[in-house]
Every structure is written in C-alpha cells, then in structure tokens.
Amino acid sequence: MELNRRTVIAGAAAAGIAATTLGTGTAQAATGSPGRKPVRELFGKLADGTKVHRWSLENGGTRLKVLSYGGVVQTLEIPDRHGRHANVVAGFDTIDDYVAKSPYFGALIGRYGNRIGKGTFTLDGKSYQLSVNDGVNSLHGGAQGFDKHVWDVEPFTRGSDVGLHLHYTSVDGEMGYPGTLRTKVTYTLGRHGEWRIDYEATTDRATVVNLTSHVYWNLAGEGSGTIEDHELRIAASRYTPTDSGLIPTGELAGVAGTPFDFRHAKPIGRDIRAGHEQQVQAKGYDHNWVLDKGITAKPEHVATLRDPRSGRTLKIATDQPGLQFYSGNFLDGTLTGTGGRTYRQGDALCLETQHFPDSPNHAAFPSTVLRPGQTYRTTTIHTFGS
C-alpha cells in the first residue's frame, strides 16, 4: 500500500442476511432493541426492463429509503426538536427522473468521487484516458459512474442494527479505469438512529479509488427553501483552491481571513457572496477542505451542520482526509423533488467525505492508488440530533 495512503482498518459491518420483508412495524427508539427489518418493494424499471427496488429501513427514530439503482438514498427522515419527522434529503419520485436528470441526488459515487483534470492520469508509467463528462474533465467516475448502475442488495439485522450490503463489480476498462474493482458498501442504521457507511473494494490491477456518498441535505426539510441559514462547522484550517474548471491547483491554502473559514460554526450565507475569486468561479462553495486530523485509523468528528429553525443537527465523522462542501450552486429550479417542490440554487448542500479531487495528478496529495492484494476500506458516520 502506498505510504501516504492509509485506509481505515475499522472493518465493514459483518454480514448476517435477514428476510427481505416484514409486516407493518414501527421504529424502535434508542433502547437497544432491533429496528424494523428492511422491507423491499418494486420502485420501477429501467428502459431495458431491469427492475429497480426500494428498501425501507427504520431504527432509533431514523427512517431511510434506499434504491438499488446507484445505491441512492431517496429519503431520510429524522425528527425535529418537537419530535416531528421530515425528509431532509433531496430526491425524485420516479426512476425515470433519476436516470434522465439527477445531479447525483443521494448516490454512491465511484470509481473516483469528485474531478480528475482532463480525465487523465498516469499510474506506473502508463497513461489512462477516462470518460470526460464535465467540460474537459472527468466527474464522479465518468458518464456511467457507479451512480448509474443497479447494485445487488442484501438486507441484514445484527443485534440492534439493521442495514443493507450493496455490491457492484466494475469491470476492467469501465469508464477508462484499469482493473476489475469489486465493491461492497454497507449502510447501517444503529440503535440511536445513526447512519453509518462502510466502503470496501479490491482490485486485480493497480487502479485509483475514491468512493463517497452524494446526499443533498436540507435539515429544515426537503424542498423547504434555502440552506443559507444553516450553521456549519468544518474542522479544517486549509482547503484546496481550484482553477476555472474546479480542478485543484495543488496549493493547500489557509482558510484564515477568507470566506472558507468554518473552523467556528457560522451561517452558510454569511460569506457566500463575499466576492472571493474562488467563490465567483464556483458560484458559491464547491471545494475540498483539508481536514486537520488527516487520515485516521477510525472515524473522527469533522463537521457539524445545524438548522436553527427545526433544531435538527447532523454530525459527520470520517477517517478520510478531505471533505467536499458543495452549496447546491447548480440547482436552477428545473428539478422537482419528492415533496412536489422545485429545487433552486442553495436549496440543499452536500458534505462528501473523500480523498482530494484530482489526487492521481498531484504527487503531494494523499494517494488514492489501490493495488492487488490490498483492500480499500473507509467509514463515514452520520449522527443526528435535535
């Protein structure tokens, strides 16, 4: 394994396959009792007739609905300070909308989350040309990334936890990436309602890997309006400035004295129109924060998001070295969500745990190389409160 590439050894959740359906039930509070077993239903079909299923999970007051298509988190409901549940993630009602126009709503991202400049990189002296789908660059794995495939899904219960194992095999050469990559992602709802994601992958040839989740959050409720009044804290003293194509320049710039300073919680809208050159070209925030903790052996708390109106909070813990904060800059009012409302600029945000964008082209960035015999492992935990 590369010396500067230390993936998490904290293991993925163990298997323990359970029945796929269960009759009517209610979520258990944080008592240690198991939550409701995953329930499967038909969500729709792709143009070639492939069935897409939706899985519903409940535990500890959190309700989660996941699609086999792209591992998409379609809805995630949590209570506010008065115990009233609301869906706090952006999404669509139909599979047709996800296929035709989704900006990665709720999806699993791979092989490489974020951007790779000009869709090229060199590994072990050989150059690779990837699928280009963001101007001249490759974004989120290319035109047919992991978000656009149907995953195999296995439900499980384990003690007081409930969850899903999702499997996808990316063949050698898919979207230009070398090696056959066998990927397993585990979604777990814990007894306190926390949502854990464990990623695991192996390869038969040297390749690059950077998996993440692309959930769009609005803690006031999906479709309720702007997230600019949400308060955000990120434990990062530096970030990676980008060029006009949103590709990192290679600099690790200090956040002090800039709109990128979220070391103390502040409303997202406070500095979003400050006129900083980086914000102008990104139309807001769309950058990678260099987490102060670096790569760690287990997930550590790195970000807190709070909605003052509802009292809902989201805390994110990860072992990864970076966090991409995207303020929903390209939502333009043309997409209608699960609640029947349109999404406009700044109506949702993303907090993507990851390695840095374009790492394969920056030797000084933590490596994203995975080789045969190694196992890629990483974990992100979302904890909710009110």
Side-chain angles (χ1 to χ4, degrees), residues 12-16 18 34 156-163 165 186 188-189 196 198:
F156 70 87
T157 60
R158 184 185 60 249
S160 59
D161 295 343
V162 298
H165 297 301
T186 301
T188 304
L189 283 187
R196 175 178 175 133
D198 290 288

Side-chain angles (χ1 to χ4, degrees), residues 228 264-274 285:
E228 289 189 12
H264 300 284
K266 68 177 181 181
I268 290 169
R270 176 180 294 174
D271 298 325
I272 201 168
R273 294 173 180 79
Y285 295 109

